[in-house]
Amino acid sequence: MDERDTLARIAAGDEAAFHQFYNAYADRIHRFALTMLRSRHLAEDVVQETLLAVWKGAQRFRGTSKVSTWVFGIARNQALSLLRREARAARDQLPPMVEPDPAIAITRQERVLAALDRLPEEQREVVFLAFYEGLSYRDIASMMEIPEGTVKSRMYHAKRALLEYLR
Amino acid sequence: MTDCERAEELIPWYVAGSLSDEESGELAMHLATCDPCRAELARMVPLAMDLQAALGTVPGAPTELRETVTESAKRSGAPGIDVGSFLLGLSMGMSASGRGDPLQGDLRILGRKVPLFRLQQGGTERD
Ligand SMILES: [Zn+2]
């Protein structure tokens, strides 16, 4: 079933279509939110709020972008507003996603996540969307409403830093 | 911006498989004649694969969340209720991104096909 058709069915109040959409996106949104926010509790909120927004607003999808670009744009806005709220409360208390313990030989994947975690949030989200979700710099620029050059520049700096950290 | 600087900027997107055919072609032409940029490509491919593998290990949504979300959706009533500026701003801001046709080639990175140039002595050849 095409995702656009699924959205159209959701817009018509089809709960089965919503379940299908949930299954396709919940894990991906959770990974994205966790990568951005580093908090499972907040990541769950992002999944919930994003999918509720899809349920209530499916008819607003204009069909001019990929469905995934639209969904991750909503998720990102939810994540950023949670981030701002939490930042006011206790920014420094957000733990890193991976606690590096030099005594333990960590796996390659943990090393990569730890390296990713050292990047500024604005670079981390670009890396996630580009390499995990396969979005183009155009998709990401329109989602974030920033110039394409800014997206490419964030990727450029992220890539340089990651190659350096993982050397 | 020199050709090499532009190439370095595009290589991550090339490896991710999300460049337009035109940009891929343009980059490929440059890679065919530039050793340092081919070396950059060779560094980027394993990094991209590492990133995708690592991000796949980030936990997905907990199973019990499905019921919570479904229940909230039901309680919130039928779709069509205004959800404010989130969606409005987004749908207005979107530009067309759809390049439907998949890129051709025989390298599969991150589950997507990327046009591949064989790195071999005597030049670079496109399949
Ligand atoms: Zn070059």
Side-chain angles (χ1 to χ4, degrees):
Chain A
M1 171 66 70
D2 179 73
E3 288 190 330
R4 289 160 190 259
D5 296 338
T6 309
L7 272 184
R9 282 166 53 207
I10 293 171
D14 183 337
E15 286 178 19
F18 183 64
H19 284 150
Q20 198 179 335
F21 202 85
Y22 182 96
N23 291 340
Y25 276 98
D27 285 345
R28 290 155 67 190
I29 297 169
H30 193 266
R31 289 192 181 103
F32 173 63
L34 202 50
T35 303
M36 273 182 82
L37 302 173
R38 305 158 168 158
S39 151
R40 288 203 185 205
H41 178 67
L42 294 180
E44 287 181 27
D45 285 353
V46 172
V47 174
Q48 172 152 0
E49 293 307 314
T50 302
L51 286 161
L52 284 177
V54 168
W55 169 250
K56 295 178 196 167
Q59 81 286 356
R60 289 181 190 276
F61 177 66
R62 292 286 174 260
T64 49
S65 69
K66 285 181 199 161
V67 172
S68 62
T69 310
W70 182 68
V71 172
F72 281 97
I74 299 168
R76 176 173 185 267
N77 283 351
Q78 299 286 358
L80 288 178
S81 67
L82 286 177
L83 198 62
R84 278 192 290 269
R85 203 172 71 198
E86 293 291 309
R88 281 196 294 273
R91 170 148 222 154
D92 300 319
Q93 287 173 18
L94 287 178
M97 199 154 65
V98 174
E99 299 273 6
D101 182 349
I104 299 168
I106 61 174
T107 66
R108 177 74 183 165
Q109 288 168 349
E110 285 167 335
R111 280 191 67 213
V112 173
L113 288 179
L116 197 54
D117 212 32
R118 290 171 69 180
L119 299 180
E121 179 268 323
E122 61 181 26
Q123 291 176 22
R124 230 166 34 231
E125 61 179 346
V126 169
V127 167
F128 183 97
L129 294 169
F131 290 109
Y132 196 70
E133 285 296 330
L135 298 186
S136 68
Y137 65 80
R138 290 192 179 89
D139 294 333
I140 297 172
S142 80
M143 170 200 294
M144 298 183 183
E145 297 179 315
I146 57 177
E148 291 174 358
T150 307
V151 177
K152 285 191 276 192
S153 155
R154 287 178 188 174
M155 173 62 89
Y156 175 87
H157 291 293
K159 175 211 66 174
R160 286 226 158 166
L162 289 171
L163 286 172
E164 172 67 24
Y165 298 154
L166 293 168
R167 215 169 35 169
Chain B
M1 188 180 276
T2 68
D3 282 357
C4 287
E5 283 167 344
R6 179 167 158 74
E8 192 182 351
E9 204 177 68
L10 291 181
I11 283 170
W13 306 96
Y14 178 72
V15 172
S18 63
L19 281 189
S20 70
D21 291 354
E22 192 188 346
E23 286 169 315
S24 293
E26 189 192 331
L27 178 60
M29 298 258 285
H30 179 76
L31 290 171
T33 61
C34 182
D35 287 341
C37 285
R38 276 208 300 276
E40 177 66 20
L41 176 66
R43 276 192 296 274
M44 194 62 228
V45 170
L47 175 61
M49 293 168 86
D50 274 349
L51 284 168
Q52 198 203 24
L55 288 169
T57 68
V58 174
T63 0
E64 63 275 14
L65 193 60
R66 189 183 143 130
E67 186 141 357
T68 313
V69 172
T70 310
E71 284 308 310
S72 306
K74 278 186 192 153
R75 271 201 311 275
S76 76
I81 299 157
D82 185 54
V83 290
S85 57
F86 270 143
L87 301 168
L88 199 61
L90 275 167
S91 51
M92 305 297 280
M94 290 296 178
S95 67
S97 66
R99 281 198 156 256
D101 27 328
L103 296 173
Q104 294 305 306
D106 58 0
L107 176 61
R108 205 164 252 287
I109 309 170
L110 314 188
R112 285 175 289 278
K113 274 191 171 182
V114 170
L116 176 64
F117 296 79
R118 289 227 178 97
L119 307 182
Q120 56 192 10
Q121 79 282 36
T124 306
E125 223 172 72
R126 182 167 189 172
D127 272 355

